[in-house]
Amino acid sequence: MQRSIYIRPLGIFGAAPSALDAQDDAPREMWGGLPLAGGRLAFSALEVLERNARGTQRRTIGLGDLFERDWGRNTLAAADLLEAIRAPRARLAGLSLDRPRIMGIVNVTPDSFSDGGQHDEAAAAIAHGLKLAEEGADILDVGGESTRPGSDAVAVDDELRRVIPVIEGLRAKTDKLISIDTRKAEVMRRAAAAGADILNDVSALTHDPKALDVAAESGLPVMLMHAQGDPKTMNDNPQYSDVVLDVFDYLEGRIRECVAAGIPKSRLIADPGIGFGKHLHHNVAVLNALSLYHGLGVPLLLGASRKKLIGQICNVEAPRDRVPGSIAAALFGVAQGVQIVRVHDVAETRQAVAVWEAAQAGSEGRPA
């Protein structure tokens, strides 16, 4: 369902605790900013986007206008969006999301775009996952099917043979959260039994007709990603009316379907899907508008690590040479309040985020 109004937080800054504690004091909020997703950031202005048959109209307003403005027929929708933007996010399988978290990629595949074949044996993948955990990953994302543009589907049995021993091996050796990156209900079910804490589905539980029920029955958090089309053909000719708003509408619709199926909103995470059914101009538009997706009312995941858009922007062909651009994308996301960044290069990203956190806080100590 296409909505008619959207709200994007602007003027995002690291707020002093006193500015975020005064949630019942409108004048202090206007001067100190409103809290962003209950975290350590606040926002001081808004972009209001209204979509109709003539296209999308945008205007920027200050917080004073927010309290005084007559929203007309959009009053309830605007109030709901604002509450969704401000509300604290639930813990993710026990992990607090009031500061940036890092998801390390463990590809157990021969054909992933960046590191295919490097960790396609269980022992190598387990060792790699433990290394990422030592480097500072909060979540280890195990996947056995490449969903890069142009990739072929992997049979369920083959995917299970790849990922289950890795999940079991990691579960025995680390208490870090483990996510299973899969589109298949049976892989979700078996991965949960093997010790996975999170389901991460690039199809937002649409690829497998049984996935929605399995996800609900598992009781695990679910990461829902936007993608247009199947990985084999998704980047051939993607079309959008307004990519930023179309992605929002899709994710909002998937959240609604999940809630109706018995998955509480507190267990959902949204990913705008950089590179999935999107060309360069689509990707940079979505990146630019990341803070808009806080209006979904769930934590946000950004996965731009080593992706093609970095190579296109910087003329860098080899994915392994895109680490600096990956860190830039991750830091931009973190500065927009994204709670989780999914990366190949954990140590480098952790170092960059730690410096960003210290600069935001004005203190050398890392947040607890």
Side-chain angles (χ1 to χ4, degrees), residues 182-201:
T182 185
R183 304 180 293 167
K184 301 182 181 70
E186 181 63 14
V187 179
M188 294 176 191
R189 187 183 67 79
R190 294 275 297 275
D197 303 288
I198 303 164
L199 308 178
N200 180 18
D201 185 353

Side-chain angles (χ1 to χ4, degrees), residues 26 41-44 48 89 100 107 113 124 128 137 169 172 196 245 257 272 283 287 315 317 322 337 350:
L41 298 178
F43 59 96
S44 58
V48 179
R89 301 306 186 238
N107 283 328
F113 80 94
H128 181 61
L245 304 187
E257 289 291 324
N283 287 317
L287 279 173
N315 194 28
E317 186 66 28
R322 299 172 186 166
R350 178 67 265 175

Side-chain angles (χ1 to χ4, degrees), residues 106 108 122-123 125-126 130 140-144 159-174 176-182 186-199 220:
V106 183
V108 197
I126 293 167
L130 295 175
L140 302 174
D141 192 39
V142 179
E159 191 173 342
L160 287 168
R161 277 195 296 270
R162 292 174 181 179
V163 300
I164 298 303
V166 176
I167 293 171
E168 291 174 338
L170 289 172
R171 185 76 296 153
K173 296 180 178 180
T174 182
K176 298 288 187 178
L177 295 181
I178 299 171
S179 62
I180 175 63
D181 179 2
T182 185
E186 181 63 14
V187 179
M188 294 176 191
R189 187 183 67 79
R190 294 275 297 275
D197 303 288
I198 303 164
L199 308 178
L220 299 182

Side-chain angles (χ1 to χ4, degrees), residues 264-289:
K265 195 171 182 179
S266 60
R267 284 184 13 219
L268 299 175
I269 302 93
D271 176 354
I274 299 299
F276 281 75
K278 300 173 187 71
H279 286 167
L280 177 59
H281 63 288
H282 299 131
N283 287 317
V284 294
V286 169
L287 279 173
N288 175 261

Side-chain angles (χ1 to χ4, degrees), residues 20-246:
L20 298 179
D21 289 342
Q23 295 192 16
D24 295 324
D25 184 353
R28 287 182 65 192
E29 285 181 341
M30 283 192 288
W31 294 108
L34 294 174
L36 183 62
R40 290 179 167 89
L41 298 178
F43 59 96
S44 58
L46 298 168
E47 182 181 38
V48 179
L49 303 93
E50 295 182 82
R51 177 145 78 160
N52 52 44
R54 295 172 295 168
T56 304
Q57 284 74 49
R58 295 169 165 83
R59 69 166 77 76
T60 300
I61 64 172
L63 295 188
D65 295 328
L66 170 65
F67 293 108
E68 297 172 4
R69 176 183 169 85
D70 179 4
W71 294 88
R73 63 185 179 87
N74 287 319
T75 298
L76 291 178
D80 288 345
L81 282 169
L82 184 62
E83 177 58 27
I85 289 166
R86 297 176 57 188
R89 301 306 186 238
R91 287 176 174 265
L92 175 64
L95 181 68
S96 171
L97 296 178
D98 64 345
R99 53 181 290 269
R101 299 296 183 174
I102 296 177
M103 172 187 273
I105 298 169
V106 183
N107 283 328
V108 197
T109 56
D111 58 343
S112 289
F113 80 94
S114 177
D115 56 0
Q118 291 185 38
H119 316 113
D120 57 351
E121 295 294 332
I126 293 167
H128 181 61
L130 295 175
K131 176 175 178 287
L132 296 184
E134 184 178 342
E135 291 176 347
D138 300 290
I139 307 164
L140 302 174
D141 192 39
V142 179
E145 178 185 47
S146 174
T147 50
R148 60 180 171 76
S151 60
D152 293 315
V154 172
V156 172
D157 289 345
D158 291 339
E159 191 173 342
L160 287 168
R161 277 195 296 270
R162 292 174 181 179
V163 300
I164 298 303
V166 176
I167 293 171
E168 291 174 338
L170 289 172
R171 185 76 296 153
K173 296 180 178 180
T174 182
D175 60 359
K176 298 288 187 178
L177 295 181
I178 299 171
S179 62
I180 175 63
D181 179 2
T182 185
R183 304 180 293 167
K184 301 182 181 70
E186 181 63 14
V187 179
M188 294 176 191
R189 187 183 67 79
R190 294 275 297 275
D197 303 288
I198 303 164
L199 308 178
N200 180 18
D201 185 353
V202 299
S203 78
L205 302 179
T206 64
H207 174 76
D208 188 329
K210 298 179 181 178
L212 195 57
D213 289 338
V214 168
E217 292 165 5
S218 74
L220 299 182
V222 183
M223 295 174 167
L224 305 170
M225 195 190 78
H226 172 273
Q228 188 182 98
D230 184 85
K232 186 70 175 177
T233 58
M234 64 185 176
N235 277 11
D236 288 354
N237 186 31
Q239 298 290 321
Y240 297 93
S241 171
D242 181 314
V243 64
V244 169
L245 304 187
D246 289 354

